[in-house]
Amino acid sequence: AGVAASNLVLSVPGATGPKFLDAAMMPAPAATASTTSGWAVFFEVPPGVIALGQAATATVTLEMASSAVGASAVTIADVKVTDGAPPSLPTNVSFTQQVFPIFTNRGCVACHSGGGPGKDLGGLMLDGGANLAYKELTQEDPTRANITMPEKSLVLTMPSAESPSDVHPNVTFTGPSDPDYIKILVWLREGAKLN
């Protein structure tokens, strides 16, 4: 209870909300924060994969795995709310120094290499150094590193926990609060530069 609407950000075009339900699970049109029910509702969410964003002035930390939203369907997602603002986001994220090492440390390169199944399944090659990986992410397929809608970038959505799961064989990022997910997201928001 008491999570202000300003903390709940769903950055998808056309979505409206949040609206809140009262303790009896009835609409609370005058509510500007969650009630004891804990329910917040968004309307007109387009189909696709979504996750709650974090407001710049957030007073709580939100953790939610990405969720698939179907057309003309109701989707229910669990969000863990913790008191206190989220940790500050990194700035000036370097692809070569901070993003590219994530692919080795998380095992992405082993799969997305010349002989790995990731090359065949997703057509993505991450071996061969930072310059080649950068080209694969930013030039070969614009949906891999989407700078206009960073949260929709395949480099974030494919290896993230989703329900229902996508074709990616494992979960690399448990959600949008994963530190490596955040580094890649900030790199995308900063223009996906080769720096």
Side-chain angles (χ1 to χ4, degrees), residues 135-188:
K135 180 181 176 199
E136 288 279 317
L137 290 170
T138 62
Q139 297 171 13
E140 296 296 322
D141 181 348
T143 62
R144 290 179 180 161
N146 184 343
I147 59 172
T148 58
M149 293 188 71
E151 292 82 0
K152 300 287 186 195
S153 297
L154 293 179
V155 71
L156 293 174
T157 61
M158 290 301 282
S160 291
E162 296 172 339
S163 178
S165 60
D166 56 28
V167 297
H168 199 265
N170 69 323
V171 174
T172 307
F173 308 123
T174 55
S177 60
D178 183 292
D180 286 342
Y181 178 102
I182 291 170
K183 282 181 198 169
I184 295 172
L185 178 61
V186 170
W187 170 72
L188 290 163

Side-chain angles (χ1 to χ4, degrees), residues 103 107-128 132 136:
F103 304 134
C108 308
V109 173
C111 183
H112 290 278
S113 64
K119 183 209 180 282
D120 294 331
L121 295 174
L124 175 63
M125 298 277 292
L126 293 174
D127 60 344
L132 179 60
E136 288 279 317

Side-chain angles (χ1 to χ4, degrees), residues 66-143:
S66 296
S67 295
V69 175
S72 302
V74 173
T75 302
I76 298 175
D78 288 324
V79 179
K80 179 182 174 186
V81 180
T82 309
D83 282 334
S88 60
L89 295 177
T91 57
N92 300 317
V93 175
S94 164
F95 180 79
T96 55
Q97 299 298 313
Q98 294 170 280
V99 173
F100 181 67
I102 292 170
F103 304 134
T104 301
N105 297 339
R106 295 284 182 121
C108 308
V109 173
C111 183
H112 290 278
S113 64
K119 183 209 180 282
D120 294 331
L121 295 174
L124 175 63
M125 298 277 292
L126 293 174
D127 60 344
N131 288 340
L132 179 60
Y134 178 81
K135 180 181 176 199
E136 288 279 317
L137 290 170
T138 62
Q139 297 171 13
E140 296 296 322
D141 181 348
T143 62

Side-chain angles (χ1 to χ4, degrees), residues 4-81:
S6 60
N7 285 299
L8 304 173
V9 176
L10 193 60
S11 335
V12 292
T16 60
K19 304 292 184 187
F20 299 101
L21 301 181
D22 65 17
M25 302 297 283
M26 298 300 295
T32 58
S34 61
T35 67
T36 55
S37 75
W39 282 82
V41 181
F42 289 88
F43 296 95
E44 304 300 326
V45 178
V49 177
I50 59 105
L52 275 177
Q54 200 73 58
T57 58
T59 57
V60 295
T61 300
L62 306 171
E63 292 181 55
M64 174 189 150
S66 296
S67 295
V69 175
S72 302
V74 173
T75 302
I76 298 175
D78 288 324
V79 179
K80 179 182 174 186
V81 180

